[in-house]
Amino acid sequence: MTTQNAINIRLFFLGCVAVAGIFGALTASRKIFFMQAMPALLAMLFVWLSK
């Protein structure tokens, strides 16, 4: 597996977590955004910057 593939896999799964957190924030509680989606979005940013 190349480094680019590993980065893409990380971004994909972090994106799934972020989407789930955003959906949960819209349908259940805003707190979910800050507990789940925000850390995932920050992790995506750091993974993307590490390229």
Side-chain angles (χ1 to χ4, degrees):
M1 182 179 308
T2 64
T3 304
Q4 186 61 41
N5 285 343
I7 289 172
N8 288 339
I9 291 169
R10 287 182 184 118
L11 289 173
F12 171 76
F13 284 109
L14 285 169
C16 292
V17 172
V19 168
I22 292 168
F23 182 76
L26 292 174
T27 59
S29 168
R30 266 191 158 167
K31 184 179 175 184
I32 295 171
F33 177 79
F34 297 105
M35 298 298 292
Q36 181 175 351
M38 184 65 75
L41 293 171
L42 287 172
M44 286 177 73
L45 174 68
F46 291 134
V47 168
W48 183 75
L49 289 174
S50 73
K51 287 204 266 185

